[in-house]
PDB file of all heavy atoms in Angstrom:
ATOM      1  N   VAL A1447     -29.657 -82.108  -9.695  1.00 84.00           N
ATOM      2  CA  VAL A1447     -30.199 -82.695 -10.928  1.00 84.00           C
ATOM      3  C   VAL A1447     -31.073 -81.680 -11.657  1.00 84.00           C
ATOM      4  O   VAL A1447     -30.984 -81.524 -12.878  1.00 84.00           O
ATOM      5  CB  VAL A1447     -31.009 -83.978 -10.610  1.00 84.00           C
ATOM      6  CG1 VAL A1447     -31.787 -84.438 -11.845  1.00 84.00           C
ATOM      7  CG2 VAL A1447     -30.077 -85.086 -10.142  1.00 84.00           C
ATOM      8  N   ALA A1448     -31.927 -80.974 -10.911  1.00 85.00           N
ATOM      9  CA  ALA A1448     -32.817 -79.979 -11.528  1.00 85.00           C
ATOM     10  C   ALA A1448     -32.013 -78.879 -12.214  1.00 85.00           C
ATOM     11  O   ALA A1448     -32.345 -78.430 -13.318  1.00 85.00           O
ATOM     12  CB  ALA A1448     -33.747 -79.382 -10.475  1.00 85.00           C
ATOM     13  N   VAL A1449     -30.930 -78.443 -11.557  1.00 85.00           N
ATOM     14  CA  VAL A1449     -30.066 -77.408 -12.135  1.00 85.00           C
ATOM     15  C   VAL A1449     -29.359 -77.951 -13.378  1.00 85.00           C
ATOM     16  O   VAL A1449     -29.307 -77.288 -14.420  1.00 85.00           O
ATOM     17  CB  VAL A1449     -29.028 -76.926 -11.093  1.00 85.00           C
ATOM     18  CG1 VAL A1449     -27.971 -76.057 -11.755  1.00 85.00           C
ATOM     19  CG2 VAL A1449     -29.726 -76.149  -9.973  1.00 85.00           C
ATOM     20  N   LYS A1450     -28.836 -79.170 -13.271  1.00 86.00           N
ATOM     21  CA  LYS A1450     -28.105 -79.780 -14.395  1.00 86.00           C
ATOM     22  C   LYS A1450     -29.008 -79.969 -15.609  1.00 86.00           C
ATOM     23  O   LYS A1450     -28.608 -79.737 -16.753  1.00 86.00           O
ATOM     24  CB  LYS A1450     -27.535 -81.133 -13.955  1.00 86.00           C
ATOM     25  CG  LYS A1450     -26.682 -81.813 -15.006  1.00 86.00           C
ATOM     26  CD  LYS A1450     -26.115 -83.127 -14.483  1.00 86.00           C
ATOM     27  CE  LYS A1450     -25.303 -83.834 -15.567  1.00 86.00           C
ATOM     28  NZ  LYS A1450     -24.808 -85.152 -15.106  1.00 86.00           N
ATOM     29  N   GLU A1451     -30.258 -80.389 -15.352  1.00 88.00           N
ATOM     30  CA  GLU A1451     -31.190 -80.637 -16.463  1.00 88.00           C
ATOM     31  C   GLU A1451     -31.806 -79.354 -16.991  1.00 88.00           C
ATOM     32  O   GLU A1451     -32.474 -79.362 -18.027  1.00 88.00           O
ATOM     33  CB  GLU A1451     -32.290 -81.609 -16.014  1.00 88.00           C
ATOM     34  CG  GLU A1451     -31.758 -83.024 -15.742  1.00 88.00           C
ATOM     35  CD  GLU A1451     -32.851 -83.983 -15.308  1.00 88.00           C
ATOM     36  OE1 GLU A1451     -33.994 -83.510 -15.031  1.00 88.00           O
ATOM     37  OE2 GLU A1451     -32.578 -85.188 -15.245  1.00 88.00           O
ATOM     38  N   GLY A1452     -31.598 -78.253 -16.267  1.00 87.00           N
ATOM     39  CA  GLY A1452     -32.090 -76.960 -16.743  1.00 87.00           C
ATOM     40  C   GLY A1452     -33.588 -76.818 -16.728  1.00 87.00           C
ATOM     41  O   GLY A1452     -34.168 -76.093 -17.549  1.00 87.00           O
ATOM     42  N   THR A1453     -34.252 -77.501 -15.784  1.00 86.00           N
ATOM     43  CA  THR A1453     -35.702 -77.349 -15.683  1.00 86.00           C
ATOM     44  C   THR A1453     -36.008 -75.921 -15.220  1.00 86.00           C
ATOM     45  O   THR A1453     -35.134 -75.219 -14.711  1.00 86.00           O
ATOM     46  CB  THR A1453     -36.302 -78.341 -14.661  1.00 86.00           C
ATOM     47  OG1 THR A1453     -35.802 -78.008 -13.352  1.00 86.00           O
ATOM     48  CG2 THR A1453     -35.914 -79.783 -14.990  1.00 86.00           C
ATOM     49  N   GLU A1454     -37.257 -75.526 -15.395  1.00 87.00           N
ATOM     50  CA  GLU A1454     -37.641 -74.157 -15.009  1.00 87.00           C
ATOM     51  C   GLU A1454     -37.375 -73.933 -13.520  1.00 87.00           C
ATOM     52  O   GLU A1454     -36.828 -72.902 -13.118  1.00 87.00           O
ATOM     53  CB  GLU A1454     -39.117 -73.917 -15.336  1.00 87.00           C
ATOM     54  CG  GLU A1454     -39.560 -72.469 -15.129  1.00 87.00           C
ATOM     55  CD  GLU A1454     -38.695 -71.467 -15.899  1.00 87.00           C
ATOM     56  OE1 GLU A1454     -38.359 -71.731 -17.079  1.00 87.00           O
ATOM     57  OE2 GLU A1454     -38.340 -70.433 -15.296  1.00 87.00           O
ATOM     58  N   LEU A1455     -37.755 -74.923 -12.696  1.00 85.00           N
ATOM     59  CA  LEU A1455     -37.518 -74.809 -11.257  1.00 85.00           C
ATOM     60  C   LEU A1455     -36.019 -74.840 -10.958  1.00 85.00           C
ATOM     61  O   LEU A1455     -35.533 -74.162 -10.062  1.00 85.00           O
ATOM     62  CB  LEU A1455     -38.231 -75.943 -10.511  1.00 85.00           C
ATOM     63  CG  LEU A1455     -39.759 -75.843 -10.452  1.00 85.00           C
ATOM     64  CD1 LEU A1455     -40.362 -77.134  -9.912  1.00 85.00           C
ATOM     65  CD2 LEU A1455     -40.187 -74.666  -9.604  1.00 85.00           C
ATOM     66  N   GLY A1456     -35.289 -75.634 -11.744  1.00 87.00           N
ATOM     67  CA  GLY A1456     -33.836 -75.719 -11.571  1.00 87.00           C
ATOM     68  C   GLY A1456     -33.160 -74.394 -11.854  1.00 87.00           C
ATOM     69  O   GLY A1456     -32.232 -73.984 -11.147  1.00 87.00           O
ATOM     70  N   LYS A1457     -33.623 -73.703 -12.893  1.00 89.00           N
ATOM     71  CA  LYS A1457     -33.052 -72.389 -13.239  1.00 89.00           C
ATOM     72  C   LYS A1457     -33.295 -71.379 -12.118  1.00 89.00           C
ATOM     73  O   LYS A1457     -32.420 -70.583 -11.788  1.00 89.00           O
ATOM     74  CB  LYS A1457     -33.685 -71.870 -14.541  1.00 89.00           C
ATOM     75  CG  LYS A1457     -33.243 -72.623 -15.789  1.00 89.00           C
ATOM     76  CD  LYS A1457     -34.007 -72.128 -17.003  1.00 89.00           C
ATOM     77  CE  LYS A1457     -33.684 -72.956 -18.240  1.00 89.00           C
ATOM     78  NZ  LYS A1457     -34.560 -72.595 -19.380  1.00 89.00           N
ATOM     79  N   GLN A1458     -34.493 -71.440 -11.532  1.00 89.00           N
ATOM     80  CA  GLN A1458     -34.801 -70.517 -10.433  1.00 89.00           C
ATOM     81  C   GLN A1458     -33.934 -70.831  -9.211  1.00 89.00           C
ATOM     82  O   GLN A1458     -33.414 -69.925  -8.553  1.00 89.00           O
ATOM     83  CB  GLN A1458     -36.281 -70.629 -10.069  1.00 89.00           C
ATOM     84  CG  GLN A1458     -37.238 -70.127 -11.147  1.00 89.00           C
ATOM     85  CD  GLN A1458     -38.686 -70.333 -10.746  1.00 89.00           C
ATOM     86  OE1 GLN A1458     -39.079 -70.029  -9.623  1.00 89.00           O
ATOM     87  NE2 GLN A1458     -39.489 -70.858 -11.653  1.00 89.00           N
ATOM     88  N   ALA A1459     -33.782 -72.122  -8.934  1.00 87.00           N
ATOM     89  CA  ALA A1459     -32.981 -72.529  -7.776  1.00 87.00           C
ATOM     90  C   ALA A1459     -31.520 -72.128  -7.956  1.00 87.00           C
ATOM     91  O   ALA A1459     -30.847 -71.730  -7.002  1.00 87.00           O
ATOM     92  CB  ALA A1459     -33.092 -74.040  -7.577  1.00 87.00           C
ATOM     93  N   LYS A1460     -31.029 -72.219  -9.185  1.00 87.00           N
ATOM     94  CA  LYS A1460     -29.614 -71.920  -9.473  1.00 87.00           C
ATOM     95  C   LYS A1460     -29.261 -70.485  -9.099  1.00 87.00           C
ATOM     96  O   LYS A1460     -28.161 -70.202  -8.611  1.00 87.00           O
ATOM     97  CB  LYS A1460     -29.314 -72.174 -10.954  1.00 87.00           C
ATOM     98  CG  LYS A1460     -27.825 -72.070 -11.309  1.00 87.00           C
ATOM     99  CD  LYS A1460     -27.609 -72.479 -12.762  1.00 87.00           C
ATOM    100  CE  LYS A1460     -26.119 -72.533 -13.093  1.00 87.00           C
ATOM    101  NZ  LYS A1460     -25.436 -71.241 -12.985  1.00 87.00           N
ATOM    102  N   LYS A1461     -30.204 -69.577  -9.308  1.00 87.00           N
ATOM    103  CA  LYS A1461     -29.954 -68.167  -8.977  1.00 87.00           C
ATOM    104  C   LYS A1461     -29.641 -68.015  -7.487  1.00 87.00           C
ATOM    105  O   LYS A1461     -28.736 -67.285  -7.100  1.00 87.00           O
ATOM    106  CB  LYS A1461     -31.173 -67.308  -9.339  1.00 87.00           C
ATOM    107  CG  LYS A1461     -31.446 -67.218 -10.840  1.00 87.00           C
ATOM    108  CD  LYS A1461     -32.735 -66.449 -11.097  1.00 87.00           C
ATOM    109  CE  LYS A1461     -33.103 -66.477 -12.580  1.00 87.00           C
ATOM    110  NZ  LYS A1461     -34.427 -65.852 -12.817  1.00 87.00           N
TER     111      LYS A1461
END
Side-chain angles (χ1 to χ4, degrees):
V1447 169
V1449 169
K1450 184 178 178 183
E1451 292 180 350
T1453 65
E1454 187 55 43
L1455 289 170
K1457 289 175 186 172
Q1458 293 177 46
K1460 188 174 186 297
K1461 293 175 186 174

